[in-house]
Amino acid sequence: MKRYRIANKRSKNKSVATLLYDEDKQEFKIEIPKEQDERKLPMLLRASVSKGEYVMNPKFSLLWVRNRLVPSERQNIGQFLKSYGLNNYREDLILEKTEGRSIQDDFVVIREQ
């Protein structure tokens, strides 16, 4: 099981949630602490908490991850993968290489050891 911190880089990489990746099932899951201020969460996570859901199922967790990555069908995806030393498209590895950075917000995804 891989474990990542979802952190706000504007707040000195303060963790707001945990992203888990089950390598056997190839599934992501996001866990949000119940005490987390929902105003400090990325938009999709905020929507989950506003419904009282603090564990996002694999479907919505993958949606959140994919919104942070270069799409697999992007033109020149092979060149992109090669630049990161990857042979094929794997969300978990791309997430690690790019830290899940997005121009839409200030959150990053940092792998824990």
Side-chain angles (χ1 to χ4, degrees), residues 6-52:
I6 299 172
N8 188 327
K9 60 186 175 189
R10 287 173 92 209
S11 299
K12 300 178 183 174
N13 287 339
K14 183 176 189 270
S15 182
V16 298
T18 301
L19 174 67
L20 303 168
Y21 182 68
D22 185 323
E23 294 173 275
D24 295 329
K25 294 180 182 178
Q26 296 182 330
E27 288 183 343
F28 287 100
K29 179 172 73 171
I30 296 174
E31 297 176 345
I32 306 161
K34 289 193 181 198
E35 65 277 0
Q36 180 60 53
D37 181 350
E38 72 180 71
R39 296 171 297 177
K40 296 182 178 180
L41 292 169
M43 195 59 73
L44 189 61
L45 279 65
R46 187 181 305 173
S48 180
V49 167
S50 71
K51 293 186 285 185

Side-chain angles (χ1 to χ4, degrees), residues 22-105:
D22 185 323
E23 294 173 275
D24 295 329
K25 294 180 182 178
Q26 296 182 330
E27 288 183 343
F28 287 100
K29 179 172 73 171
I30 296 174
E31 297 176 345
I32 306 161
K34 289 193 181 198
E35 65 277 0
Q36 180 60 53
D37 181 350
E38 72 180 71
R39 296 171 297 177
K40 296 182 178 180
L41 292 169
M43 195 59 73
L44 189 61
L45 279 65
R46 187 181 305 173
S48 180
V49 167
S50 71
K51 293 186 285 185
E53 298 170 5
Y54 293 87
V55 177
M56 293 177 63
N57 69 39
K59 177 182 173 183
F60 287 109
S61 297
L62 179 59
L63 175 67
W64 186 81
V65 167
R66 285 186 173 163
N67 279 324
R68 308 193 74 76
L69 302 180
V70 172
S72 61
E73 55 281 332
R74 181 177 176 178
Q75 184 178 349
N76 298 329
I77 190 66
Q79 217 171 3
F80 170 82
L81 294 172
K82 186 177 180 181
S83 73
Y84 281 103
L86 301 173
N87 295 323
N88 55 9
Y89 191 93
R90 282 193 35 201
E91 284 98 350
D92 61 316
L93 297 180
I94 295 169
L95 193 68
E96 289 173 26
K97 299 283 186 178
T98 64
E99 290 189 327
R101 294 180 186 274
S102 172
I103 60 169
Q104 298 176 9
D105 62 34

